[in-house]
Amino acid sequence: MSITVNHLSKMYGAQKAVDDISFTVNKGEIVGFLGPNGAGKSTTMKIITGYLTASTGSATVCGIPVTENSNETKKKIGYLPEANPLYYDMYVREYLDFVTNIHTVKNKKEKIEAVIKTVGLTLEANKKIGQLSKGYKQRVGLAAALIHDPEVLILDEPTTGLDPNQIIEIRELIKKLGADKTVLFSSHILQEVQAICDRVIIINKGKIVADDLLENLLGKKHFNELKLEIKEVVQEDFFEGIENITQVNANTWLFKTDDADALRRRLMEISLKKNLNIISLQSETAGSLEDIFRTLTANQPTN
């Protein structure tokens, strides 16, 4: 396994930012790591890269425990953090030369020119980083993550600030890199994740709520909504013990569920018990990653 996270937790005082999570990512996988703001994504990535220490649990990269030999694991990782720290007074090539010296990269000039071409920085390579647009600054950060040819790429919001054409270019680059590297990729742009990733891990309030191949997630029938239309006008507490309810109008209710068949039976039981006149009861399967994300991260219990 290129990345192994085992029962990982991180506490900030009394707040548990990451709560006993475990997952693995293999070579050749592009895994989307998703969650709302504050869910624990960036904290987990920082622990894997050695920038933060876990409260409990462990993380290994290419079989090396991060806490035991962080310098060795960092050699194997290309990390683009969400904040993308850069030296704005340095020129693009100067900065990349600085990064190659840190990683003791051989054939520096060839590697620098190659990565500039790879990330589409050729026309901007003679400028100071501070003169670049946000999108091109993001490319410099990506170039720095790639310059030492790491086995593992950890990319936290890599398409931030890019225009639609640039996003497509970086998307294709990440897909190409994923053929022989391990890629853990975080983004709030779910369409990008759906276009790039083979597998998706969704974290909410520090806990993993889904980990599966994207095609399986999109095909699972348990991401369902049931729409109930009735003759009567009732209040929400009429549906005893049922959660995740939205009232669409006076006579129509929407129920989100991970087991549509069981919920359908429960609604039928309530209708018989309380003489409810059902006009229609329809099941709708979520059709996009956004639907699934909203279903899994809405109304989750607080730690």
Side-chain angles (χ1 to χ4, degrees):
M1 308 294 183
S2 293
I3 300 173
T4 302
V5 170
N6 190 33
H7 294 292
L8 198 69
S9 294
K10 178 64 178 178
M11 299 290 296
Y12 291 107
Q15 182 181 0
K16 189 172 284 188
V18 178
D19 188 1
D20 192 29
I21 67 171
S22 299
F23 63 86
T24 59
V25 187
N26 299 314
K27 182 179 179 179
E29 276 194 300
I30 303 177
V31 175
F33 194 42
L34 310 180
N37 289 330
K41 304 185 303 297
S42 294
T43 297
T44 302
M45 289 178 161
K46 288 175 182 176
I47 292 171
I48 295 170
T49 55
Y51 286 85
L52 282 178
T53 302
S55 300
T56 58
S58 64
T60 63
V61 176
C62 300
I64 306 169
V66 173
T67 53
E68 293 180 15
N69 201 334
S70 63
N71 286 336
E72 284 302 309
T73 57
K74 286 174 183 176
K75 290 177 183 178
K76 297 182 178 296
I77 295 171
Y79 178 39
L80 177 61
E82 185 177 10
N84 190 14
L86 298 168
Y87 293 106
Y88 283 10
D89 288 336
M90 297 180 78
Y91 291 90
V92 172
R93 284 190 176 87
E94 181 186 12
Y95 175 70
L96 293 176
D97 181 73
F98 166 72
V99 176
T100 60
N101 288 334
I102 293 174
H103 288 290
T104 62
V105 173
K106 297 179 180 179
N107 303 317
K108 292 195 305 180
K109 289 185 178 180
E110 292 85 348
K111 290 289 181 67
I112 289 170
E113 295 308 313
V115 80
I116 284 173
K117 182 178 180 181
T118 296
V119 301
L121 274 170
T122 303
L123 297 177
E124 308 293 323
N126 294 320
K127 293 182 179 179
K128 283 189 176 182
I129 293 172
Q131 296 174 320
L132 302 178
S133 68
K134 185 176 180 181
Y136 278 108
K137 288 186 179 85
Q138 197 73 355
R139 289 177 185 237
V140 174
L142 186 57
L146 295 172
I147 194 83
H148 59 297
D149 193 25
E151 295 178 46
V152 174
L153 280 175
I154 297 180
L155 309 175
D156 197 354
E157 303 289 344
T159 56
T160 296
L162 303 185
D163 65 37
N165 290 330
Q166 292 171 333
I167 287 174
I168 292 171
E169 291 171 7
I170 297 301
R171 176 200 300 173
E172 293 306 313
L173 172 60
I174 293 171
K175 289 171 71 174
K176 182 179 178 181
L177 293 168
D180 61 356
K181 297 184 186 297
T182 302
V183 181
L184 187 63
F185 168 80
S186 175
S187 178
H188 284 110
I189 306 172
L190 300 186
Q191 297 91 333
E192 285 306 303
V193 175
Q194 194 163 339
I196 294 172
C197 298
D198 310 311
R199 177 176 143 220
V200 171
I201 298 170
I202 301 177
I203 185 172
N204 189 50
K205 297 183 180 177
K207 291 183 175 291
I208 290 176
V209 293
D211 180 358
D212 207 340
L213 292 174
L214 181 59
E215 61 181 355
N216 290 344
L217 284 175
L218 294 174
K220 278 184 177 178
K221 71 173 186 176
H222 84 225
F223 296 108
N224 274 279
E225 292 180 338
L226 285 180
K227 183 182 286 186
L228 173 68
E229 186 179 357
I230 55 178
K231 186 175 180 180
E232 294 78 9
V233 175
V234 299
Q235 300 300 315
E236 184 174 325
D237 59 7
F238 183 88
F239 304 102
E240 305 165 340
I242 298 177
E243 299 178 347
N244 297 326
I245 306 174
T246 302
Q247 186 171 11
V248 179
N249 56 47
N251 303 93
T252 305
W253 296 81
L254 194 64
F255 303 83
K256 291 187 177 182
T257 177
D258 60 0
D259 191 337
D261 291 336
L263 178 58
R264 187 179 289 106
R265 288 193 296 270
R266 177 65 181 143
L267 289 171
M268 293 302 294
E269 289 171 0
I270 292 173
S271 70
L272 289 171
K273 178 182 176 181
K274 299 188 175 183
N275 297 317
L276 189 71
N277 292 292
I278 296 178
I279 298 172
S280 68
L281 180 58
Q282 299 177 341
S283 177
E284 300 178 1
T285 302
S288 70
L289 184 57
E290 182 177 353
D291 295 331
I292 294 167
F293 180 88
R294 292 179 66 185
T295 297
L296 290 175
T297 59
N299 300 316
Q300 293 289 336
T302 305
N303 291 335

